[in-house]
Amino acid sequence: QNYHNVRLTEGGDQGSIILVADADGSGSIQSLDTMIKVLWNLVNCNSIGSTSNHHYFNDPSSCSLSWECPAIVVGDRGYKGTTFSRAITRWGFRTAVKIICGDLKVSDSQCGLKLMTATAAINLYSNLNLLRWTHDVEVLLRAKELDIPITDTIIDWEDKDGSKLATGTAGTIYISMVMLLEIFTMRLHYLTGRWKVNHM
């Protein structure tokens, strides 16, 4: 995956937000503007201790708050434009993740397009235990355990050729089973204390 640093200055204070994206560019960079606004609203609401929509802003440059508070926005690929078989697989995996890990507060637990403050990124991505396909779920579980503000937003997404983890029904089933085993093992390790979340 690629990591893109975006340097922003708000009210004279410099802050940093980090975009995590799939290397194949399946998630459209055109969604970045929307994700920045959603992230800003999330940071703002939690900075002032309110979740009221009255505190939301459409233009981050008009506000004086910084990006220092931890927060993360996750893309939601939805099902538009995807094949029936991939939609079923995606739905099944999301459902299994919710059963194993509980409510992670996002609809799409496997979307690779994420935008977060640097504070959140340091805590969520430092010393990950899962480094393959399922690391997205560990990131979300850490956000839940650390009570980091999180939300999602619909993004433009294209299922590109070569972006699949496997081709064919047998390959898809095999990869799905491997991923679910990794997630189950991860959850067990966190529950038993073998793996720990470094609290901020």
Side-chain angles (χ1 to χ4, degrees):
Q1 291 192 328
N2 295 333
Y3 297 81
H4 305 275
N5 289 321
V6 181
R7 303 298 299 183
L8 297 177
T9 300
E10 304 295 344
D13 294 326
Q14 191 176 59
S16 178
I17 58 177
I18 295 177
L19 176 68
V20 181
D22 289 313
D24 63 5
S26 297
S28 175
I29 199 68
Q30 305 262 344
S31 302
L32 181 57
D33 285 344
T34 298
M35 296 182 76
I36 290 175
K37 290 178 181 178
V38 173
L39 181 63
W40 183 261
N41 289 332
L42 188 61
V43 170
N44 178 60
C45 275
N46 286 277
S47 294
I48 62 179
S50 171
T51 56
S52 169
N53 286 339
H54 295 121
H55 299 290
Y56 273 33
F57 296 88
N58 290 321
D59 183 10
S61 64
S62 67
C63 310
S64 60
L65 293 175
S66 73
W67 293 98
E68 294 177 359
C69 298
I72 178 173
V73 174
V74 180
D76 182 357
R77 296 168 293 177
Y79 296 99
K80 183 180 179 180
T82 192
T83 63
F84 178 75
S85 60
R86 179 172 280 199
I88 291 296
T89 302
R90 189 176 294 174
W91 174 84
F93 191 83
R94 293 180 185 181
T95 302
V97 168
K98 189 170 185 177
I99 292 173
I100 296 172
C101 298
D103 184 11
L104 297 178
K105 300 181 181 180
V106 298
S107 300
D108 192 348
S109 57
Q110 284 301 111
C111 183
L113 196 63
K114 300 179 181 67
L115 186 69
M116 67 202 77
T117 61
T119 305
I122 291 171
N123 286 278
L124 297 178
Y125 281 87
S126 295
N127 302 315
L128 277 177
N129 299 285
L130 300 179
L131 302 177
R132 301 196 300 170
W133 312 307
T134 50
H135 82 277
D136 294 297
V137 180
E138 185 176 8
V139 168
L140 298 179
L141 181 64
R142 285 185 169 192
K144 176 182 177 180
E145 295 295 322
L146 292 171
D147 201 25
I148 292 177
I150 185 172
T151 190
D152 56 10
T153 184
I154 293 292
I155 62 169
D156 294 325
W157 184 273
E158 179 183 357
D159 289 328
K160 294 188 176 182
D161 293 337
S163 64
K164 297 180 181 180
L165 296 177
T167 57
T169 303
T172 300
I173 293 175
Y174 171 75
I175 293 298
S176 298
M177 295 302 295
V178 171
M179 293 173 67
L180 288 175
L181 179 60
E182 286 185 354
I183 291 171
F184 180 80
T185 303
M186 173 202 69
R187 190 71 181 112
L188 186 62
H189 285 338
Y190 275 112
L191 287 174
T192 59
R194 184 175 181 182
W195 294 354
K196 299 181 183 296
V197 178
N198 295 322
H199 290 270
M200 298 178 292

